[in-house]
Amino acid sequence: MNAQAKIKSLLQQLNAVIVGKPAQVQDGVACLLAGGHLLIEDAPGVGKTTLAHALARSFGLQFSRVQFTADLMPGDLSGVSVYDRNQSAFVFHPGPIFSQVLLADEINRASPKTQSALLEAMEEKQVTIEGETRALPRPFFVIATQNPQEQLGTHPLPESQLDRFLMRISLGYPDRGSERELLAGHDRRAMTEQLPGLLNAQELQALQEQVLAVHAAPPLLDYLQDLLAATRDGRWFVQGLSPRAGLAVLRAAKAQALLSGRDYVAPDDLQAILPQTAAHRLVPVASAGRGPLEQVRSMLDAVPLP
């Protein structure tokens, strides 16, 4: 089965579980193909955890799920050393972070101390425990869900943590037809448990290499630089996107192009993924009167194509 056929099967399987949300499903697949971490933010009960589970299973990756709570400690994620009398030595017991996919459920309910324990893992693909650095499995993804910040008991993720997520997406409520399908159909959680893995780690790596090989022509890079410059000129946002964020946007656009069956990035790819890859990294100017997502879309409309 060639790459496009695998991608088509992957999207079909996910859309059979997450009904009525093809754009968000495609964003999730693009994020993982681009090698990035995914943050899903929305109200409880709209399918955030189901999408996270379905992505992990469909990609054929070994995963663990952690329910983030106020009393969760860093050691609960990374693991601890326990003294073994038989060996007369401390033996390390790895925590759930030692998996290919960590499903971090309601990440913003944990304390900032525990949230920060993920920083090194997400950036360096390793964790330092009791002075010893331990490599994480490859590939390693964090798929996190969070509730809106106005809900009780939530701690907003710091900027440094948000920057580690390639994309932030939101599902929203289903339309009437999709909700009817949910009401009349099978239990989505049970369906997710039965999903077969359509890829293995080697096939995923091959697809990720194809993403990196997608061509970005000089005019396209000019357009990307124009967009980056617009975020930095003070008209739209308090502070602009960093060069690292620019590279992340380009990587996501390449994944979007591959999902569309092309070996080159088009301006449409940049426009399609910029809100999801940039909005969580930006704070609108006080006079904007709108949220970061709406502000990114307004900026997109204002920056001319090269």
Side-chain angles (χ1 to χ4, degrees):
M1 189 183 293
N2 63 29
Q4 285 305 315
K6 287 176 185 173
I7 288 170
K8 186 178 179 182
S9 297
L10 195 69
L11 292 171
Q12 283 177 341
Q13 176 163 295
L14 289 165
N15 283 315
V17 178
I18 312 297
V19 294
K21 300 293 177 183
Q24 289 90 334
V25 165
Q26 181 154 324
D27 285 341
V29 172
C31 185
L32 298 193
L33 289 184
H37 306 293
L38 178 65
L39 179 61
I40 310 170
E41 181 183 81
D42 220 319
V46 296
K48 301 187 302 293
T49 304
T50 304
L51 174 57
H53 260 130
L55 281 166
R57 285 195 171 275
S58 297
F59 272 85
L61 299 173
Q62 177 254 333
F63 67 95
S64 57
R65 175 180 177 270
V66 177
Q67 182 67 47
F68 276 56
T69 56
D71 59 352
L72 187 75
M73 298 298 292
D76 297 331
L77 283 178
S78 54
V80 293
S81 294
V82 178
Y83 187 76
D84 189 314
R85 288 185 177 180
N86 295 328
Q87 300 183 39
S88 299
F90 282 93
V91 177
F92 179 67
H93 293 259
I97 203 169
F98 286 90
S99 56
Q100 291 174 320
V101 177
L102 175 67
L103 303 183
D105 234 350
E106 297 188 304
I107 189 172
N108 58 337
R109 290 204 179 276
S111 67
K113 182 179 180 180
T114 302
Q115 290 174 4
S116 65
L118 277 176
L119 280 174
E120 181 187 11
M122 294 173 74
E123 184 65 20
E124 307 293 339
K125 306 294 193 292
Q126 64 184 30
V127 289
T128 302
I129 305 159
E130 297 163 1
E132 184 177 346
T133 299
R134 301 175 187 270
L136 293 170
R138 296 296 179 99
F140 173 73
F141 298 115
V142 174
I143 305 177
T145 69
Q146 73 170 2
N147 296 322
Q149 290 179 11
E150 61 270 14
Q151 290 207 345
L152 290 174
T154 59
H155 302 272
L157 296 179
E159 291 175 7
S160 56
Q161 181 97 53
L162 283 171
D163 193 51
R164 298 304 193 274
F165 286 100
L166 177 61
M167 287 191 196
R168 179 177 66 180
I169 64 173
S170 179
L171 289 173
Y173 294 114
D175 59 45
R176 190 175 179 88
S178 299
E179 188 164 39
R180 184 57 172 259
E181 189 176 337
L182 289 171
L183 292 169
H186 299 289
D187 178 67
R188 259 45 207 176
R189 193 151 292 186
M191 287 177 67
T192 304
E193 296 295 333
Q194 297 169 6
L195 289 179
L198 299 180
L199 298 173
N200 56 41
Q202 291 74 27
E203 290 171 323
L204 174 56
Q205 185 178 2
L207 285 173
Q208 289 176 329
E209 288 171 358
Q210 279 189 255
V211 167
L212 295 177
V214 170
H215 180 61
L220 187 283
L221 295 179
D222 289 339
Y223 181 45
L224 174 56
Q225 286 193 285
D226 289 344
L227 292 170
L228 295 175
T231 68
R232 300 166 183 164
D233 66 11
R235 176 186 170 192
W236 304 94
F237 301 101
V238 175
Q239 193 171 359
L241 292 175
S242 67
R244 179 169 67 180
L247 289 168
V249 170
L250 180 59
R251 208 166 67 242
K254 288 184 173 186
Q256 185 80 8
L258 185 69
L259 289 177
S260 300
R262 282 181 278 101
D263 60 0
Y264 62 92
V265 183
D268 288 354
D269 299 316
L270 273 179
Q271 293 169 346
I273 57 85
L274 190 70
Q276 299 88 289
T277 52
H280 62 290
R281 296 176 162 96
L282 296 167
V283 177
V285 293
S287 60
R290 57 169 76 97
L293 205 59
E294 293 77 18
Q295 188 78 330
V296 171
R297 288 174 178 145
S298 295
M299 186 197 74
L300 270 173
D301 291 338
V303 176
L305 285 166

